[in-house]
């Protein structure tokens, strides 16, 4: 999660991340097959593919955790042989939180100390995500809920001045309000960092990125730039009319912060622009109940 930092600045080059003929095998079975990729500063890349496609292995090679054939570099340096110089400039949010028994307060102090970051910066970011750390500072990290762990890991990753953010299913355990804040935090870093966002479902991350890379059986099968016209901080006003009141739909809409305008038949709320596909996916489960649904840019946002 946290890696040592060096004291020197990271010099920016056009390609922050490079994979040159990267091949990785396990028990003679190729998991990555001669991967060639170049990712520049400011790119927000969705790394997608089914389970077993090679996404996690590619990330672990990027983090210097695996030996492999070919070359991986971050700003021209090897994350395997120059770990201190490289990994101090990476913010990483893993898909599965590590089973750390360290108390939350000590973990924050440890992570911040590695890079000379003020621990309060990470605590403030956790607060923005909706996690009040004061009651849990003495609680072991492993005993936090899934959502609390995710918020803390994001706060630690974004609390350092990382030029590369590697995010593996980063918003999987976040509530809608925390996801909105998460998008805002990414927007604050968009021009100054390269982001690699891994997911097995494109609709989870499509509106966050400006490039999509798909892996299948260890090969790149799609590398496409996508429209970058959705603001990470934009909001959409939404109005929903339903045919009859339905407790399950009401519960779902309340979890998104919607307000009941009368008898459970009309609902109004706001949806973060990057979350619109996720929201529409939720709404599609109740398509038989919904008589009207409108989404429009919220000028008051």
């Amino acid at each position: 999660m946290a890696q040592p930092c060096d004291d020197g600045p990271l010099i920016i080059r056009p390609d922050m991340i490079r994979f040159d003929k990267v091949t990785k095998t396990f028990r003679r079975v190729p998991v990555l097959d001669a991967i060639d990729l170049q990712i520049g500063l400011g790119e927000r890349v969705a790394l997608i593919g089914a389970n077993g496609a090679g996404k996690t292995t590619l990330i672990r090679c990027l983090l210097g955790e695996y030996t492999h054939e070919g070359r991986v570099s971050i700003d021209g340096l090897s994350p395997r042989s120059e770990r201190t110089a490289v990994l101090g400039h990476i913010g990483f949010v893993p898909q599965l939180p590590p089973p750390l028994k360290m108390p939350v307060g000590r973990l924050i102090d440890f992570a911040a100390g590695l890079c000379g970051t003020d621990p309060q910066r990470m605590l403030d970011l956790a607060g923005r995500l909706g996690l009040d750390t004061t009651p849990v500072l003495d609680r072991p990290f492993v005993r936090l809920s899934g959502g609390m762990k995710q918020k803390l890991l994001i706060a630690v990753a974004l609390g350092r001045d990382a030029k590369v953010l590697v995010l593996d299913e980063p918003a999987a355990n976040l509530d809608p309000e925390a996801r909105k804040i998460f998008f805002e935090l990414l927007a604050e870093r968009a021009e100054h960092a390269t982001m690699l966002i891994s997911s097995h479902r494109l609709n989870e991350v499509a509106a966050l990125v400006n490039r999509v890379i798909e892996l299948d059986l260890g090969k790149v099968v799609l590398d496409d730039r996508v429209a970058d016209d959705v603001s990470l901080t934009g909001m959409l006003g939404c109005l929903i009319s339903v045919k009859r009141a339905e407790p399950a739909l009401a519960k779902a809409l309340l979890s998104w912060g919607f307000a009941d305008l009368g008898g459970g038949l009309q609902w109004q709320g706001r949806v973060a622009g990057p979350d619109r596909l996720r929201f529409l996916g939720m709404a599609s489960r109740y398509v038989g109940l919904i008589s009207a649904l409108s989404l429009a840019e919220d000028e008051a946002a």
Side-chain angles (χ1 to χ4, degrees), residues 23-46:
T23 298
K24 177 63 180 176
T25 60
F26 291 105
R27 297 178 182 176
R28 299 183 181 179
V29 177
V31 179
L32 298 179
D33 190 357
I35 298 290
D36 281 318
L37 286 172
Q38 297 81 43
I39 301 173
L41 180 70
E43 287 196 273
R44 304 191 304 274
V45 178

Side-chain angles (χ1 to χ4, degrees), residues 103-160:
V104 169
R106 186 176 164 196
L107 175 60
I108 290 288
D109 289 341
F110 174 75
L114 287 175
C115 287
T117 298
D118 184 353
Q120 190 60 46
R121 181 177 178 183
M122 295 179 179
L123 294 172
D124 289 345
L125 287 172
R128 285 182 63 182
L129 288 163
L131 174 60
D132 180 6
T133 54
T134 303
V136 299
L137 288 176
D138 295 326
R139 187 183 304 178
F141 175 81
V142 72
R143 291 181 54 193
L144 299 180
S145 70
M148 294 170 75
K149 290 176 182 175
Q150 196 74 356
K151 291 173 183 178
L152 192 60
L153 291 173
I154 290 172
V156 168
L158 298 184
R160 50 178 33 201

Side-chain angles (χ1 to χ4, degrees), residues 11 17 22 32 60 96 116 146-147 193-194 204 207 234 287:
I11 300 172
I17 299 173
V22 174
L32 298 179
R60 290 186 174 179
L96 298 176
T194 296
E204 291 285 325
V287 65

Side-chain angles (χ1 to χ4, degrees), residues 45-50 55 169-172 179 182-183 197-209 211-214 222 226 230 232 256 271-285:
V45 178
L47 181 64
I48 65 171
K55 303 187 304 297
E169 302 281 1
R179 287 173 63 89
F182 175 57
F183 300 147
I197 306 173
S198 176
S199 179
H200 64 280
R201 292 191 298 269
L202 179 58
N203 69 335
E204 291 285 325
V205 296
L208 293 176
V209 302
R211 182 178 174 188
V212 176
I213 295 172
E214 182 176 2
L222 173 70
V226 297
V230 177
L232 292 177
W256 281 83
V271 178
D275 233 0
R276 61 186 179 184
L277 292 178
R278 183 182 176 89
F279 175 78
L280 290 172
M282 178 281 293
S284 70
R285 299 200 297 269

